[in-house]
């Protein structure tokens, strides 16, 4: 039986050094390989003059560079968002989104193929759960975007929008922001996600700062407590969507398992232990969770906590009929949070909706 090849992106720098020791090579070569992988963004052994031939021969025989093939890529009509459909080694597919804002680029990466949590308004939830991603498959998505930026692979196909064109010319060529808000529930795949975060943060590699990696959870209580106990250097966003248990269960079935009071207790523990603020996400659905009393209920729930609310007007998905809250009502909601509860909030910029790359629209299907 042949051994599956070792995916280099699965390894932390320490694990790579360990592997080199086992092969009888100096860990210094591991550090060199690490720099080729994460500073030069190399995709093969061919351009690695600083590695001895015997090391390269071993790498060629037993390892692989876990870059993912692009099955499809789509640009939004405004030119700010690019969505990649990426093929995994076993034929499964995932989506990764590159979002450009003026002076800033963010990669939105997936943590699972599908999702087991079944939130009613989410396209990923609607497709069900297939499997966890490995650390290397999570890292590979960031590398895909980092390489696209560095080697100017995408830039812009349609330059119809002058604002986008201008922003892109000013765009930094390095990836600095990652959100784990693509397909899947990151805290359902805790170990792989944290290993990927460690790899992305490594100071001799991509060196992403802790403030610029944010994971969003549906509210997996044990995962939040573990993040707190381990004092993980990663930003946390919690998908709230409703401020009472009954309303929340109707949107987020996982709330049956992790009820709102337990979730809020875990969030309090997290903020006390880490000293960090949490982002609370609220998908605004017209007539469902956007009334002034509901804004006041969130205000009371979060009062006194270090919190910021991210309001996300509902994006359309095939399996859910709701409509997004209109901008006037969203502003009113924000105003109540600000004036009555001193609670900061933002309305998430709509990005990539026309190519189904917005929040909750990622699924491997027809789009
Ligand atoms: N599984 C994680 C992260 C992925 S989703 C989580 O649920 O938090 C990122 C955010 O988009 C979540 O807050 C999610 O609830 C929200 N979302 C899902 N479907 C959406 C939709 N159709 N419109 C707007 N936001 C949506
Ligand atoms: Fe899963 Fe998040 Fe979608 Fe809910 S919103 S189904 S947790 S990906």
């Amino acid at each position: 039986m042949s051994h599956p090849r070792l995916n280099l992106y699965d390894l932390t720098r320490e694990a790579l050094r360990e592997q080199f020791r086992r092969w009888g090579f100096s860990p210094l070569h591991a550090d060199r390989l690490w720099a080729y992988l994460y500073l030069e963004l190399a995709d093969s052994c061919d351009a690695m003059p600083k590695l001895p031939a015997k090391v390269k021969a071993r790498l060629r025989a037993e390892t692989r560079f876990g870059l993912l093939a692009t099955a499809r890529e789509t640009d939004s009509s405004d030119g700010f968002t690019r969505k990649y459909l990426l093929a995994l080694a076993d034929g499964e597919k995932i989506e990764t989104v590159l979002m450009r804002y003026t002076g800033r680029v963010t990669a939105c990466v997936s943590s699972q193929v599908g999702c087991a949590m079944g939130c009613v308004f989410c396209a990923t939830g609607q497709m069900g759960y297939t499997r966890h991603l490995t650390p290397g498959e999570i890292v590979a998505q960031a590398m895909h975007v980092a390489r696209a930026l560095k080697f100017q692979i995408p830039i812009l196909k349609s330059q119809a929008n002058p604002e986008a064109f201008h922003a892109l010319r000013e765009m930094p060529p390095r990836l600095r922001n990652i959100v784990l808000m693509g397909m899947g529930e990151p805290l359902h795949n805790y170990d792989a996600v944290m290993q990927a975060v460690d790899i992305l943060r490594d100071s001799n590699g991509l060196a992403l700062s802790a403030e610029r990696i944010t994971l969003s959870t549906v509210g997996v209580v044990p995962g939040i407590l573990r993040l707190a106990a381990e004092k993980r250097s990663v930003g946390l966003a919690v998908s709230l969507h409703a401020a009472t248990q009954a309303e929340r269960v109707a949107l987020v079935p996982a709330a049956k398992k992790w009820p709102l009071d337990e979730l809020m207790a875990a969030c309090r523990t997290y903020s006390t232990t880490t000293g960090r603020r949490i982002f609370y996400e609220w998908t605004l659905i017209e007539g469902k969770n956007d009334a002034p009393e509901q804004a006041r209920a969130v205000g009371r729930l979060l009062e006194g906590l270090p919190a910021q609310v991210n309001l996300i007007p509902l994006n359309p998905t095939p399996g859910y009929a709701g409509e997004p809250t209109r901008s006037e009502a969203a502003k009113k909601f924000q105003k109540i949070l600000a004036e009555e509860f001193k609670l900061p909030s933002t309305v998430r910029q709509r990005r990539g909706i026309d190519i189904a790359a917005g929040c909750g629209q990622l699924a491997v299907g027809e789009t």
Side-chain angles (χ1 to χ4, degrees):
M1 205 180 85
S2 68
H3 287 289
R5 282 166 177 266
L6 187 63
N7 180 355
L8 293 172
Y9 289 150
D10 269 330
L11 304 180
T12 60
R13 187 152 52 91
E14 204 32 65
L16 189 65
R17 290 168 67 100
E18 196 45 51
Q19 182 65 53
F20 270 56
R21 280 190 206 101
R22 275 199 295 276
W23 281 329
F25 298 143
S26 158
L28 287 177
H29 292 319
D31 289 342
R32 291 197 178 105
L33 172 58
W34 188 268
Y36 280 127
L37 286 174
Y38 296 108
L39 296 177
E40 299 193 16
L41 316 188
D43 63 352
S44 82
C45 290
D46 298 342
M48 297 191 174
K50 284 185 267 174
L51 285 185
K54 63 178 194 302
V55 172
K56 287 196 266 198
R58 180 67 78 122
L59 292 173
R60 287 196 181 99
E62 295 188 28
T63 71
R64 63 191 175 95
F65 292 70
L67 287 169
L68 302 174
T70 307
R72 186 169 60 226
E73 56 188 53
T74 326
D75 287 317
S76 63
S77 56
D78 68 8
F80 280 106
T81 302
R82 168 165 292 208
K83 180 167 81 166
Y84 297 98
L85 180 68
L86 300 176
L88 306 176
D90 64 355
E92 294 294 345
K93 296 199 177 73
I94 50 168
E95 293 190 322
T96 303
V97 182
L98 187 168
M99 295 173 289
R100 302 143 163 152
Y101 306 85
T102 307
R104 179 157 66 96
V105 184
T106 297
C108 177
V109 311
S110 297
S111 57
Q112 298 176 317
V113 182
C115 183
M117 300 295 150
C119 304
V120 296
F121 47 71
C122 171
T124 312
Q126 290 156 16
M127 72 181 267
Y129 169 80
T130 305
R131 70 166 173 89
H132 288 318
L133 296 187
T134 63
E137 289 169 335
I138 298 169
V139 169
Q141 297 172 70
M143 299 308 290
H144 202 87
V145 172
R147 285 171 53 84
L149 294 172
K150 174 164 179 174
F151 302 118
Q152 307 277 299
I153 294 165
I155 291 311
L156 191 59
K157 278 183 189 151
S158 112
Q159 298 182 343
N161 178 351
E163 195 201 338
F165 184 56
H166 193 72
L168 293 186
R169 286 204 313 202
E170 310 284 300
M171 199 175 64
R174 271 191 57 194
L175 175 64
R176 291 187 189 278
N177 303 282
I178 293 195
V179 292
L180 278 144
M181 299 190 185
M183 299 166 68
E185 167 48 49
L187 296 185
H188 183 205
N189 187 15
Y190 190 97
D191 292 323
V193 165
M194 292 310 147
Q195 188 161 322
V197 167
D198 288 345
I199 293 168
L200 298 171
R201 292 199 54 228
D202 189 286
S203 55
N204 294 329
L206 290 186
L208 288 166
S209 81
E211 299 78 59
R212 290 166 184 261
I213 306 183
T214 302
L215 74 79
S216 171
T217 178
V218 72
V220 177
V221 167
I224 295 171
L225 293 174
R226 199 171 152 197
L227 281 177
E230 295 174 357
K231 292 207 167 40
R232 286 285 174 174
S233 293
V234 57
L236 180 62
V238 171
S239 295
L240 207 51
H241 310 312
T244 66
Q245 172 65 5
E247 286 178 329
R248 192 158 183 272
V249 166
L251 297 171
V252 179
K256 277 184 225 124
K257 190 159 180 188
W258 300 295
L260 187 59
D261 51 352
E262 288 178 28
L263 173 60
M264 293 317 299
C267 290
R268 244 169 262 128
T269 303
Y270 176 90
S271 287
T272 327
T273 327
T274 63
R276 283 213 195 89
R277 165 189 62 166
I278 296 178
F279 297 94
Y280 293 89
E281 289 156 299
W282 191 278
T283 294
L284 280 169
I285 310 168
E286 192 176 57
K288 260 245 144 54
N289 64 354
D290 61 352
E293 310 83 78
Q294 284 159 317
R296 291 191 186 98
V298 199
R300 287 191 295 274
L301 192 68
L302 301 181
E303 215 164 15
L305 286 172
Q308 175 171 325
V309 178
N310 286 343
L311 301 164
I312 317 168
L314 180 74
N315 293 315
T317 60
Y320 188 70
E323 292 290 324
T325 297
R326 300 186 195 186
S327 117
E328 277 313 301
K331 285 199 190 108
K332 176 105 196 276
F333 201 95
Q334 260 193 309
K335 201 161 172 244
I336 293 174
L337 297 180
E339 291 179 358
E340 299 179 25
F341 299 92
K342 306 272 171 289
L343 201 53
S345 65
T346 55
V347 179
R348 178 104 26 110
Q349 289 183 51
R350 289 166 74 75
R351 284 278 190 250
I353 308 308
D354 60 333
I355 55 165
C359 298
Q361 292 186 303
L362 303 187
V364 180
E366 303 313 310
T367 44

